[in-house]
Amino acid sequence: MTDMNIKQAVDKSGLRHIAFIMDGNGRWAQKRGLPRTHGHKEGVKTFERIAEYCSEIGIEVVTVYAFSTENWKRPKAEVDALMKLVERYLDEFAQTVDKYQVELHIIGDTSVLSPALQQKIDRAEQLSKGKPCKLCVALNYGGRDELVHAYNALLKQGKSQITAQDISAHLYTANIPDPDLIVRTGGEMRLSNFLLWQAAYSEFYSTPTLWPDMKPADVDLAIEAFCKRSRRFGGV
Ligand code: FPP
């Protein structure tokens, strides 16, 4: 599709929020005889390119799954490398914040991250406040953990009955619309604890393309597939 057509397709379809499960970095590196961390490094470049493209074509919210509550089980060297990449990205984001129209949100339990990383998160979020598009990076994020966190916050308020709205308002994604489309690269067909509550009516798209190989044209294919879906939200 041409840029113009894809913009029109986004506009017409009501596609506001795309969430990406960025899978396949390890395989991408292994295929080239490189360490897995090299795949993550390349994955950050892809993330920057894809996030920018999404904002160019009129997507209001982009969410990416950068580190799950289960990813701590990986070798320490890989975990450390991923955290370093996030730190570096936050520094770069803070330095170039005026160039982009995105408000950054880190979603997940950040309380266990290093104080230096928490500071960088606060700084980047503060600097980008009020920008029209949203970029959400899920970091130490788990859908179950997020729900437990929300229920506990509600219990603390002394609530004896809670509504779906109460829960939505206490998620890490409070005030962020639910994803319309969840794209998973790397060929798997599961959510892996990603946005469990928010995904209730999201369309799911899986591509065998490994995340570092993901190009704007692959995003177009996902959007084209989304445009062909009939979203009934439980109706007829
Ligand atoms: C899954 O691929 C990928 C991850 C667990 C990490 C994704 C993180 C990044 C792309 C960097 C994030 C940084 C920022 C700043 C957003 P995998 O390693 O499980 O791949 P495999 O299935 O091929 O082994």
Side-chain angles (χ1 to χ4, degrees):
M1 267 207 228
T2 62
D3 272 9
M4 197 53 186
N5 288 343
I6 199 78
K7 275 187 194 161
Q8 280 167 352
V10 166
D11 199 36
K12 223 173 114 198
S13 65
L15 174 55
R16 296 176 67 197
H17 181 176
I18 309 186
F20 293 95
I21 301 178
M22 309 184 285
D23 199 10
N25 294 342
R27 276 166 284 167
W28 184 92
Q30 274 158 356
K31 263 171 63 179
R32 288 161 179 77
L34 298 165
R36 293 176 54 80
T37 49
H38 199 95
H40 296 314
K41 215 165 139 189
E42 209 56 38
V44 178
K45 290 186 202 160
T46 302
F47 152 67
E48 291 176 318
R49 185 169 63 231
I50 296 296
E52 195 171 346
Y53 177 67
C54 287
S55 121
E56 275 166 24
I57 61 172
I59 304 294
E60 292 167 34
V61 188
V62 171
T63 299
V64 293
Y65 205 3
F67 193 90
S68 76
T69 44
E70 287 71 37
N71 285 152
W72 297 105
K73 294 182 204 150
R74 293 187 177 216
K76 184 174 181 306
E78 184 171 343
V79 169
D80 289 349
L82 279 164
M83 292 300 159
K84 262 265 142 338
L85 286 172
V86 174
E87 277 196 32
R88 243 182 256 156
Y89 171 74
L90 290 169
D91 283 341
E92 191 194 303
F93 180 88
Q95 276 157 23
T96 55
V97 71
D98 294 336
K99 262 172 63 184
Y100 301 103
Q101 291 306 307
V102 292
E103 185 178 82
L104 186 72
H105 294 256
I106 302 295
I107 58 168
D109 179 7
T110 54
S111 69
V112 299
L113 303 176
S114 76
L117 183 50
Q118 290 187 47
Q119 248 178 25
K120 287 178 198 287
I121 290 171
D122 286 348
R123 181 160 156 257
E125 285 184 338
Q126 284 303 326
L127 284 170
S128 63
K129 240 190 187 121
K131 303 260 186 176
C133 297
K134 288 181 175 32
L135 178 58
C136 309
V137 176
L139 188 61
N140 192 26
Y141 175 89
R144 289 183 174 180
D145 173 72
E146 181 181 39
L147 285 167
V148 170
H149 178 269
Y151 299 154
N152 279 325
L154 289 160
L155 283 174
K156 235 183 177 168
Q157 293 170 13
K159 292 224 184 234
S160 56
Q161 267 208 320
I162 54 176
T163 64
Q165 281 84 356
D166 287 331
I167 296 171
S168 293
H170 288 79
L171 298 177
Y172 299 124
T173 54
N175 302 317
I176 293 167
D178 289 341
D180 300 296
L181 173 63
I182 298 181
V183 174
R184 181 167 187 147
T185 60
E188 306 288 1
M189 300 275 188
R190 54 176 171 265
L191 278 178
S192 299
N193 205 10
F194 188 45
L195 302 176
L196 296 183
W197 176 272
Q198 300 88 334
Y201 284 102
S202 305
E203 296 296 325
F204 188 75
Y205 178 88
S206 174
T207 168
T209 303
L210 304 176
W211 177 253
D213 289 329
M214 191 76 179
K215 304 273 181 301
D218 299 306
V219 176
D220 289 357
L221 291 178
I223 294 175
E224 281 170 38
F226 174 85
C227 291
K228 290 186 189 136
R229 306 273 176 93
S230 156
R231 299 185 86 194
R232 293 184 295 280
F233 299 96
V236 285

